[in-house]
Amino acid sequence: MNTRRDFLQKLTLSAAVIPFLPGYSPSSLTDFSNHPYQGRVLRVAILGLGSYGTRVADAMQSCKRAKLVGAISGTPAKLKEWQSKYNIPEKNCYNYDNFDQIKNNKDIDVVYVITPNALHKEHVIRVAKAGKHAICEKPLSVNAKDGQAMVDACKAANVKLLVGYRMHFEPKTLEVIRMRKDGEFGKVLFFQGLSGFTIGDPTQWRLNKQLAGGGAMMDIGIYSINGARYMIGEEPVWVTAQETKTNPEKFKEGVDETIQFQLGFPSGAVASCLSTYTMNNLDKFFLNGEKGFAEMQPSTGYGPIKGRTHKGELTQPHMTHQTIQMDEMAAIIFDNKKPVVPVDGEEGVRDLKIIDAIFLAAKTGKKVSLTV
């Protein structure tokens, strides 16, 4: 159990054994249920063939509007394995040194970057310069400055930059957002986000400051940051934070173990959140308003998400997150569809601005003002 993704897979039911349900079509999601899709298909190459890259590749086998056609890796054996497993042509396989040549490959529309956080900036900018759209796994980068450089590079190249915010397409999450927008909770007062697990292998890249840009906050705490924003429906204007470190040998300088942080919003709503690499049994969101509440646990795991509100249990069917994400991103890229919650590069930069402020608040002990 060396990674967040391994943990979440065991914490919840494996998405692999829960069937994709194409018949469920909430109004905010693309409807493929009435007839087979016959339009343009988004042709995707995945850069970074680790555990999450494999999860995305597996989920894409059920996509209606996106297809895995390429692979990029520094490990030749993985490329061979993916060619066989996913029927990928050899001409669509690249390594980290030569993948700029995708600019000459008309069979690839977009590259999904799933590499360590500190490599996102270089890889996305190279993808943009090759004239391809980019999807980047979150966090977008290791700080807001680098994230903005990625946004600017994609704009200059006239390509889209999207971020792998799979929860922005998750049906139960979208139902809570709908209820909040429709005023069913009344004035929102409070949000709680608990994000964490006990991380394993101390030598993995997620505990390497140079590759990860931090620790738990970059990996798992970002879910509570992003969740606070889309659940409350506002952008925070201040943050306070407190860091706790019980194992400095495992969590070295610049690698956060546990951070509690608080966010304040223009309406007066507040959020209280926890990001940690040393506690299990978390993954919980709670939203409280004057007229009602929403509680989700698991709130961001691979599924099925479970939740209830003051009106009862959330019953929207489970949909494999990465499957619906990639189909919806095809609609965003080809049709300029506007998702309920943005997944563009600017959205990624907003989260990074908040992470930068959380780190500053934890270091100084002061309230930090925010403009995101």
Side-chain angles (χ1 to χ4, degrees), residues 138-139 165 216-227 351 355:
K138 55 117 202 89
Y165 288 117
M217 185 62 64
M218 288 289 185
D219 185 23
I220 193 75
I222 189 172
Y223 283 105
S224 283
I225 293 170
N226 196 248
D351 278 342
I355 289 176

Side-chain angles (χ1 to χ4, degrees), residues 196-210:
F197 63 95
T198 302
I199 199 166
D201 181 10
T203 66
Q204 64 180 281
W205 71 261
R206 288 178 181 82
L207 297 179
N208 182 329
K209 165 70 172 175
Q210 298 307 311

Side-chain angles (χ1 to χ4, degrees), residues 94 99-108 130 132:
Y94 301 86
F99 79 80
D100 307 271
Q101 294 175 16
I102 59 173
K103 66 182 178 182
N104 302 315
N105 192 328
K106 296 182 180 180
D107 294 332
I108 295 174
K132 304 297 181 180

Side-chain angles (χ1 to χ4, degrees), residues 24-25 32 48 78 147 165 203 229 254 294 321:
Y24 176 65
S25 304
F32 295 113
K78 284 187 178 181
Y165 288 117
T203 66
R229 295 174 54 232
H321 297 173

Side-chain angles (χ1 to χ4, degrees), residues 43-49 53 57 67-76 78-84 86-96 98-99 102 105 107-108 110-112:
R43 298 165 300 177
V44 181
I46 292 180
L47 192 165
L49 312 185
K67 180 180 180 181
L68 176 65
V69 301
I72 304 167
S73 175
T75 307
K78 284 187 178 181
L79 288 173
K80 288 295 183 183
E81 178 186 342
W82 276 49
Q83 286 179 42
S84 175
Y86 302 112
N87 195 28
I88 297 174
E90 186 172 358
K91 71 179 184 66
N92 290 352
C93 292
Y94 301 86
N95 59 46
Y96 294 140
N98 68 12
F99 79 80
I102 59 173
N105 192 328
D107 294 332
I108 295 174
V110 62
V111 176
Y112 195 157

Side-chain angles (χ1 to χ4, degrees), residues 13 19 22 46 56 61 65 77 90 93-94 101 103 129 195 208 211 233 256 266 271 285 295 307 352 355 359:
L13 293 176
I46 292 180
V56 173
Q61 304 311 299
R65 199 170 179 182
E90 186 172 358
C93 292
Y94 301 86
Q101 294 175 16
K103 66 182 178 182
K129 288 182 176 179
S195 300
N208 182 329
L211 289 175
D256 51 287
F285 285 174
E295 183 177 46
L352 288 172
I355 289 176
F359 287 154

